[in-house]
Amino acid sequence: MTKEEAKKRIEKLRQEILYHNKLYYVLNQPVISDYEYDQLVKELEKLEKQFPELITPDSPTQRVGGEPLIEFTTVEHKVPMLSLDNTYADSAVLEFDERVRKGLRSEKPEYTVELKIDGVAIALLYENGVFVRGATRGDGYKGDDVTLNLRTIRSIPLRLTTTKKELQNIEVRGEVYLPRAEFERLNEEKEREGEPLFANPRNATAGSLKLLDPKLVAQRKLNIFIYGVGESPRGEFKTHYETLMALKEAGLRVNESVKLCKDIELAIEYCNLWEKERDNLDYEIDGMVIKVNLFAQQERLGHTQKSPRWAIAYKFPARQASTKLKEIILQVGRTGTVNPVAILEPVEVSGSTISRATLHNEDEIRRKDIRIGDTVLIEKGGEVIPKVVRVVPEKRTGKEKNFVMPKTCPSCGGPIKRDESEVAWRCENIACPAQLKRRIEHFAFRGAMDIEGLGTAMVEVLVDKGLVKDYGDIYYLKKSDLLNLERMGDKSAQNLLDGIEKSKQNPFYRVLFALGIRHVGIHAARILAERFGSLKALKEAKFEDIATIYGLGGILAQSVVDFFANKRNLAVLEKLERAGVQLSEEKKVKAQPLSGKTFVITGTLENFTREQAQELIISLGGNVSSSVSQKTNFVVVGKEPGSKYTKAKELRVKILNEEEFLKITGKKK
């Protein structure tokens, strides 16, 4: 294929993919299968690889790419992104209508009413129909440039499908959000890794857009609804509603539930309808937005310093009720977090009976002065379990009791501990029944021990039947045990045993990750395995030995030390050792060029990210520390180095620039 032929085919493929993206993400009317779509993308990727000079920024293949960012730059919005005035009552909406009529000198307005998506507001800038920049709202006047992260959202077109001049150069406004199912998946993943959970989808969305690596953002499956423009487009567009329809036709995702209402009474009626239907959506809304439809009227009404006079947010009232708090019990989460839960006298809230509510943690109980026997106000949100909002102190009788946090786990009776840097108490016993199924799932899942046949359903059966009381027991299962299980045939039983046997040969770092030590993900497990070489050496390591390793730090170090200090954990590890699981790294025969040398990195490197430089040093036998001391052999200095550079000069530690670092590691520019 000649370059000219490739250029024509590439453009045709891009147009086809753009068309199918619009059908799938905007109109929800796909006409080809996922396989057929993937084949189009693969053909485009192949041609662009063959002719890289033909790659353009708006190509569908360019959604994710490049190195992680160091930081976000700040950009100024051409038109300020003002916030909306809020109201919670029909009467306040009627007052808004009166103000609008007065401002228009009794001229009758019509309104558009839209769902108020509970996410993060952003602005997308298109030039000549091509997406060139995306930014967060920030303070309304300036926001963070998150273009690379927004490009990963497949419902944001990189090129508009319109020839209308008014829409070629335009800034549109929208709300990025996380679907409920994806929020639950993300929190399950964080729970499996022992990381803090997101409080709600909005927080998860904001956290995702702040990630500096677009590849990680792409994994979050964010979505978007476009709700307006930064500046009213000139030409044929006279109203907000017809502009939204034109934006939808141009390939932008506009919410289907936007409605044009001839008067404020119909607008209020529509708001009340969605207050009842909100939980049927697969995303969160926290109210409705009512806007004057005609652009000319919007301009006449203008805006205050903070908000437009032609729009208002109708927020749904919190779903609350008061009841008696009868008892506070402890509940052990799947990661060992011990949370206090309020047992309530049953009360009806938004159509469901509530008898339990979260109290979050001990500090929250103290802050709100919650006592056993109190009358409390509870609130039910669409995305979270009911919570105690506050105490009703005027209803106290004097018989209420203060809550005292127990020091043992309610599930296994083992000790629970609270880190100074955290609010949560935790049970670190890996054989704790409340955590058992989750821990075994983590131990067996792909990326850890990867035991084929030991999925969620099988874990449930093995634990419920009492065959596995910790993940050490996996290696002592017998075929006769498995054949007694329902729907377990000879072949399935043998396949599971073969998978268990095969897992014994996994490298030590994967075993270390599978143990489920809090804060020890796959990357940290690899560093610990390479540094200490065996489970025995790691078990004997002191806090300082781990905390000074670059990229790990004190919190992880304390978690590792606590893990090995627990006698119940050691008993499980002994089972693994007796079973022949790989608990050490193979000795490297070849001498490593940086063996025994300790490095510290400061400043920004041109040829490496911090993590890449760290991995390189470790792969060559060296150590990486987070602080400079007399034991440091080299300090690698990039652009804008910090205090470590000054400390290195004071201690007369050998300082390497990036060129010297490349030379000592045997790498070339």
Side-chain angles (χ1 to χ4, degrees):
M1 183 180 287
T2 65
K3 183 176 178 180
E4 193 58 35
E5 289 172 332
K7 186 176 181 181
K8 290 180 181 177
R9 180 57 183 162
I10 283 172
E11 185 54 34
K12 185 177 180 183
L13 284 168
R14 287 175 183 166
Q15 291 292 346
E16 275 193 73
I17 293 169
L18 189 65
Y19 170 70
H20 289 299
N21 277 344
K22 180 179 176 181
L23 289 176
Y24 186 89
Y25 293 108
V26 179
L27 302 178
N28 197 26
Q29 297 172 353
V31 294
I32 61 173
S33 67
D34 289 348
Y35 174 78
E36 291 172 297
Y37 177 86
D38 290 341
Q39 294 305 111
L40 293 174
V41 175
K42 285 180 181 178
E43 185 183 351
L44 178 59
E45 288 174 343
K46 185 178 179 181
L47 285 173
E48 288 185 343
K49 187 175 182 181
Q50 189 177 349
F51 298 94
E53 65 274 19
L54 298 179
I55 297 175
T56 60
D58 62 324
S59 172
T61 64
Q62 301 303 297
R63 285 198 174 273
V64 184
E67 290 295 320
L69 299 169
I70 301 299
E71 61 181 8
F72 296 116
T73 57
T74 301
V75 296
E76 190 169 346
H77 299 302
K78 290 184 176 180
V79 177
M81 295 184 72
L82 301 176
S83 58
L84 296 175
D85 280 338
N86 292 332
T87 181
Y88 293 86
D90 294 358
S91 58
V93 177
L94 292 172
E95 290 173 5
F96 161 73
D97 179 60
E98 286 180 14
R99 291 195 300 272
V100 168
R101 287 172 178 270
K102 186 177 179 181
L104 297 176
R105 296 182 181 177
S106 298
E107 184 179 322
K108 185 179 179 182
E110 65 176 0
Y111 296 101
T112 57
V113 187
E114 306 161 43
L115 305 185
K116 188 174 181 297
I117 312 300
D118 198 9
V120 175
I122 53 90
L124 306 178
L125 182 63
Y126 285 85
E127 292 180 355
N128 298 318
V130 176
F131 174 50
V132 295
R133 193 186 74 195
T136 60
R137 181 167 67 180
D139 64 3
Y141 297 90
K142 294 180 180 178
D144 289 332
D145 186 336
V146 289
T147 305
L148 294 181
N149 288 346
L150 292 172
R151 287 173 70 89
T152 69
I153 302 175
R154 293 189 173 275
S155 49
I156 294 179
L158 301 182
R159 189 197 304 175
L160 298 178
T161 56
T162 181
T163 56
K164 293 182 183 294
K165 280 195 263 183
E166 300 94 333
L167 301 181
Q168 291 300 301
N169 298 287
I170 193 170
E171 184 191 67
V172 298
R173 304 283 168 82
E175 196 86 2
V176 175
Y177 69 92
L178 195 68
R180 284 177 176 169
E182 181 61 14
F183 169 70
E184 291 169 5
R185 184 200 68 79
L186 187 58
N187 262 353
E188 284 174 5
E189 185 179 283
K190 290 176 80 65
E191 189 173 36
R192 189 167 60 240
E193 296 291 336
E195 298 176 1
L197 305 187
F198 286 118
N200 51 54
R202 182 181 62 256
N203 287 358
T205 303
S208 299
L209 288 178
K210 288 179 181 177
L211 292 172
L212 293 171
D213 189 348
K215 291 184 175 66
L216 295 178
V217 182
Q219 297 171 12
R220 298 286 176 90
K221 298 180 182 177
L222 297 170
N223 213 330
I224 191 173
F225 281 120
I226 300 301
Y227 59 72
V229 293
E231 188 174 16
S232 303
R234 304 301 173 188
E236 63 180 272
F237 301 109
K238 306 297 183 186
T239 70
H240 174 63
Y241 185 83
E242 66 177 328
T243 301
L244 287 180
M245 296 305 104
L247 293 176
K248 181 177 180 180
E249 184 61 30
L252 291 158
R253 190 164 182 257
V254 175
N255 195 287
E256 293 181 355
S257 298
V258 58
K259 185 172 183 178
L260 189 60
C261 297
K262 295 297 182 183
D263 55 47
I264 200 65
E265 286 75 20
L266 288 174
I268 292 173
E269 186 178 315
Y270 195 56
C271 291
N272 292 334
L273 170 69
W274 273 109
E275 184 181 349
K276 298 172 185 175
E277 296 293 326
R278 58 191 290 200
D279 289 337
N280 295 325
L281 296 167
D282 66 352
Y283 50 87
E284 294 299 328
I285 64 173
D286 59 352
M288 306 292 285
V289 178
I290 303 171
K291 301 174 184 174
V292 171
N293 188 38
L294 198 63
F295 286 141
Q297 291 180 340
Q298 288 184 8
E299 290 178 9
R300 284 163 58 190
L301 290 166
H303 57 81
T304 67
Q305 190 173 355
K306 293 183 178 180
S307 57
R309 294 191 178 95
W310 44 265
I312 195 167
Y314 178 86
K315 300 291 287 288
F316 294 142
R319 294 173 279 193
Q320 297 181 335
S322 63
T323 187
K324 184 80 75 175
L325 192 158
K326 300 193 298 183
E327 186 184 358
I328 296 177
I329 65 168
L330 297 182
Q331 181 174 285
V332 185
R334 293 191 297 167
T335 59
T337 304
V338 182
N339 295 317
V341 175
I343 304 300
L344 310 165
E345 286 186 358
V347 63
E348 190 86 4
V349 184
S350 296
S352 57
T353 302
I354 306 301
S355 59
R356 296 161 67 97
T358 181
L359 294 169
H360 296 293
N361 53 63
E362 184 186 21
D363 286 359
E364 189 76 352
I365 294 174
R366 300 280 174 267
R367 186 179 69 80
K368 293 179 178 177
D369 189 24
I370 297 171
R371 305 175 192 178
I372 299 168
D374 267 333
T375 296
V376 294
L377 190 69
I378 62 168
E379 180 175 297
K380 179 188 174 188
E383 79 282 4
V384 293
I385 63 172
K387 63 181 179 181
V388 174
V389 178
R390 63 178 177 85
V391 168
V392 185
E394 54 268 27
K395 291 195 176 184
R396 280 182 172 161
T397 63
K399 295 181 180 180
E400 294 78 15
K401 297 178 182 178
N402 288 321
F403 171 72
V404 178
M405 190 75 179
K407 296 298 184 285
T408 56
C409 173
S411 179
C412 69
I416 60 175
K417 185 179 179 187
R418 173 179 170 175
D419 291 342
E420 290 182 5
S421 59
E422 297 185 345
V423 296
W425 288 80
R426 292 180 184 273
C427 171
E428 301 289 352
N429 174 18
I430 56 177
C432 176
Q435 307 171 57
L436 184 55
K437 291 178 182 178
R438 199 285 309 175
R439 284 192 176 274
I440 294 174
E441 284 178 33
H442 171 77
F443 185 84
F445 99 110
R446 188 173 299 171
M449 298 304 280
D450 193 15
I451 301 176
E452 188 175 349
L454 192 54
T456 301
M458 180 54 64
V459 170
E460 291 276 346
V461 173
L462 292 174
V463 172
D464 290 345
K465 294 291 184 181
L467 294 174
V468 174
K469 294 183 174 63
D470 56 61
Y471 46 61
D473 289 341
I474 293 170
Y475 294 94
Y476 298 89
L477 288 169
K478 298 175 183 177
K479 195 170 187 178
S480 57
D481 296 329
L482 299 176
L483 290 175
N484 287 328
L485 300 176
E486 190 177 348
R487 297 181 182 177
M488 176 63 79
D490 186 87
K491 187 176 180 180
S492 298
Q494 191 57 53
N495 286 343
L496 176 55
L497 292 175
D498 290 345
I500 292 170
E501 187 63 29
K502 182 182 176 183
S503 74
K504 293 179 182 179
Q505 304 308 313
N506 282 325
F508 173 47
Y509 78 88
R510 283 179 60 181
V511 180
L512 193 54
F513 171 55
L515 295 182
I517 304 172
R518 201 157 61 93
H519 303 304
V520 178
I522 191 69
H523 176 65
R526 190 188 293 271
I527 294 173
L528 290 169
E530 290 176 345
R531 175 62 62 88
F532 294 99
S534 70
L535 194 72
K536 183 176 183 296
L538 181 59
K539 183 169 63 175
E540 295 171 353
K542 296 178 181 178
F543 172 85
E544 296 79 13
D545 299 330
I546 303 169
T548 54
I549 300 174
Y550 182 81
L552 300 187
I555 293 175
L556 182 144
Q558 190 60 56
S559 183
V560 173
V561 170
D562 290 343
F563 180 86
F564 288 110
N566 191 311
K567 292 181 180 179
R568 301 185 187 209
N569 293 349
L570 297 181
V572 178
L573 298 180
E574 286 176 12
K575 290 183 184 181
L576 297 180
E577 188 173 7
R578 288 199 308 272
V581 175
Q582 184 84 337
L583 298 180
S584 63
E585 289 279 275
E586 292 182 13
K587 297 284 185 182
K588 295 177 181 176
V589 179
K590 186 179 177 182
Q592 297 285 71
L594 302 183
S595 188
K597 304 297 183 184
T598 299
F599 289 73
V600 171
I601 304 170
T602 182
T604 304
L605 303 177
E606 289 184 5
N607 296 282
F608 306 92
T609 63
R610 282 279 184 92
E611 189 172 278
Q612 288 170 336
Q614 169 197 337
E615 290 280 3
L616 176 59
I617 292 167
I618 292 172
S619 70
L620 297 174
N623 302 317
V624 183
S625 176
S626 59
S627 59
V628 181
S629 69
Q630 293 285 2
K631 295 181 180 179
T632 306
N633 298 102
F634 301 101
V635 173
V636 182
V637 177
K639 292 181 180 178
E640 299 181 8
S643 59
K644 295 172 189 175
Y645 175 54
T646 306
K647 184 73 177 290
K649 290 195 293 184
E650 290 174 2
L651 296 177
R652 297 184 179 181
V653 175
K654 176 69 174 176
I655 294 172
L656 303 176
N657 60 30
E658 190 162 356
E659 187 175 343
E660 292 168 326
F661 176 64
L662 288 166
K663 186 175 181 181
I664 200 173
T665 56
K667 296 291 179 181
K668 296 180 180 179
K669 281 190 177 181

